[in-house]
Amino acid sequence: MLNITCIFMLACWVQPQQGEPQVFTTLIRDVNSTLLGSELPVKTELGSIGFALATGIPSLEDHATETPSCHSYSLGSGLDRPLIVENGHAAFNGFEESLASHWKEVVLAARSESPKSIGSAWLDRPARRTEIAAGVELNAMPSHYLVKFSNFEKRIELLQRCRANGNELWRLIPSLKGYLTFDEALRSERENWELFGWRSEIQGEFEAISQARYLHRPTRLLRESIDGDLTTYYSPLPETWSNMANWIPVQTRIGGRQVEFEISRVRVIRPWFNVSLLYDGRVFLDESLLDRPDVPLSRGEETTLLTFPTGKIGTYIEEIILLRRSSRGGAVPPELYSHSNVVNVLGFVVRGLPKLP
């Protein structure tokens, strides 16, 4: 389960009192420009990233007793859930499960395409009838094809080392004594390797093994990602958020008024969440193992300034954007503060994923 030990701060999510959340289009554009260098969400190899406002601004202090209408939750479990972004505001997507729970479900349903069968007689010696009758269990033994292949390979490697070292030690090998010159020995051994050493067939089997490993690598990495504790980390740590030094000034307009404040970035780090493997092309999902297979992981809708893809993990948080009053004074945007005397959460840098079944 997700957790952050020794953290007692609670975030207070203040829901709007009535009506739909106000659409702060200019504010979102200006924060996008400040954080990402573009007014609109930025397209990447793995979907798009952009800024979304928190729906009701969470405070970093526990005001649940002061504001009874608040819903309090711990930072560790509350923020690491998939989102839905509408009108530029981020809210939980209706699923109670954490992102880690969804990820574990996806990994357990992941499969690789079936590779070419590699259990052929080219590499492994079949068990003899006497061994089968005696019930002898054998580990893989090299076939006579592989033995011949290896003998030619070793002689050619020896010849190449002798040439590199400038010596004639190859003439001491009984199977090479019939050759008059080094060039004759190397040319003849290469030709015989192809004709009598089953070179093409054995190398073809080795390539099949490599292909099988290539096909299975993504699912192996996915399974390894859920072997340990699926912990989410924050950098900097939450207990330092109220006293951070790196604040970025932002100027924007809200309701026709020029306002000024400062923001700071907190990275959300999930070492286990290697979602790019799902787009590798070598992985498919067994839908029978998915909870509610009728709901896609990501519908992959086009990302806009105010909307991001929907689905079980269609959009999720990559950074938390903190907000405080400008150190230089100036106009204060009261709409952005649940509690104006403390550091608040303005919103999030979120990632919207491409279509994923």
Side-chain angles (χ1 to χ4, degrees), residues 33-336:
S33 295
T34 301
L35 298 176
L36 307 175
S38 169
E39 289 188 351
L40 298 175
V42 177
K43 292 184 177 180
T44 71
E45 292 182 357
L46 190 63
S48 299
I49 57 173
F51 173 73
L53 284 165
T55 303
I57 308 302
S59 165
L60 296 188
E61 292 188 358
D62 181 11
H63 291 272
T65 57
E66 300 176 18
T67 315
S69 62
C70 289
H71 171 61
S72 298
Y73 55 90
S74 69
L75 291 172
S77 61
L79 292 181
D80 209 32
R81 288 166 55 191
L83 301 172
I84 185 169
V85 178
E86 294 180 342
N87 293 324
H89 290 260
F92 296 139
N93 68 358
F95 294 96
E96 294 297 327
E97 295 84 0
S98 65
L99 191 61
S101 297
H102 286 299
W103 180 246
K104 183 174 290 188
E105 175 192 348
V106 169
V107 169
L108 293 177
R111 298 288 183 270
S112 296
E113 296 291 348
S114 299
K116 173 185 174 182
S117 174
I118 59 175
S120 74
W122 289 112
L123 302 180
D124 300 329
R125 174 178 73 79
R128 299 186 176 95
R129 292 182 180 180
T130 55
E131 293 167 342
I132 296 175
V136 177
E137 293 186 9
L138 298 176
N139 293 323
M141 298 288 291
S143 66
H144 72 279
Y145 306 110
L146 183 57
V147 171
K148 280 199 167 187
F149 173 93
S150 299
N151 289 338
F152 276 108
E153 185 178 44
K154 289 175 183 177
R155 288 198 295 271
I156 291 171
E157 287 178 354
L158 174 64
L159 285 167
Q160 291 172 332
R161 285 199 301 270
C162 288
R163 179 168 60 183
N165 296 328
N167 60 52
E168 297 287 315
L169 293 178
W170 63 272
R171 295 185 182 275
L172 301 178
I173 306 301
S175 59
L176 300 178
K177 284 184 176 181
Y179 299 116
L180 298 178
T181 66
F182 173 87
D183 290 338
E184 180 190 0
L186 183 61
R187 182 181 64 255
S188 297
E189 285 297 305
R190 283 176 171 170
E191 291 175 354
N192 290 336
W193 190 18
E194 187 67 43
L195 293 173
F196 309 113
W198 312 102
R199 179 184 178 188
S200 298
E201 292 81 0
I202 298 297
Q203 287 185 339
E205 291 301 303
F206 287 155
E207 289 174 4
I209 292 174
S210 177
Q211 176 70 4
R213 289 174 178 169
Y214 170 79
L215 287 171
H216 282 297
R217 184 173 181 270
T219 50
R220 177 174 57 81
L221 294 176
L222 287 170
R223 293 299 174 91
E224 290 175 356
S225 75
I226 62 173
D227 285 344
D229 183 24
L230 304 188
T231 302
T232 294
Y233 302 93
Y234 299 91
S235 178
L237 295 174
E239 57 261 37
T240 69
W241 291 357
S242 296
N243 301 305
M244 290 196 304
N246 299 321
W247 292 88
I248 307 168
V250 176
Q251 291 183 344
T252 188
R253 298 188 68 82
I254 297 178
R257 293 177 296 123
Q258 183 77 22
V259 296
E260 184 176 332
F261 51 90
E262 294 176 335
I263 59 176
S264 191
R265 311 172 77 158
V266 175
R267 291 177 58 215
V268 180
I269 304 169
R270 307 176 185 90
W272 41 269
F273 191 59
N274 195 352
V275 70
S276 62
L277 290 174
L278 300 179
Y279 296 92
D280 184 271
R282 293 173 279 172
V283 174
F284 67 95
L285 299 179
D286 183 348
E287 294 188 358
S288 67
L289 299 177
L290 293 174
D291 180 35
R292 292 191 60 185
D294 57 308
V295 180
L297 295 177
S298 176
R299 293 185 175 88
E301 300 99 329
E302 183 179 359
T303 300
T304 69
L305 178 69
L306 303 178
T307 60
F308 281 75
T310 59
K312 288 182 181 177
I313 58 172
T315 298
Y316 56 89
I317 298 172
E318 289 206 338
E319 295 182 36
I320 302 168
I321 306 303
L322 305 180
L323 164 76
R324 75 175 186 182
R325 290 172 178 268
S326 171
S327 58
R328 295 179 293 181
V332 177
E335 298 92 333
L336 303 184

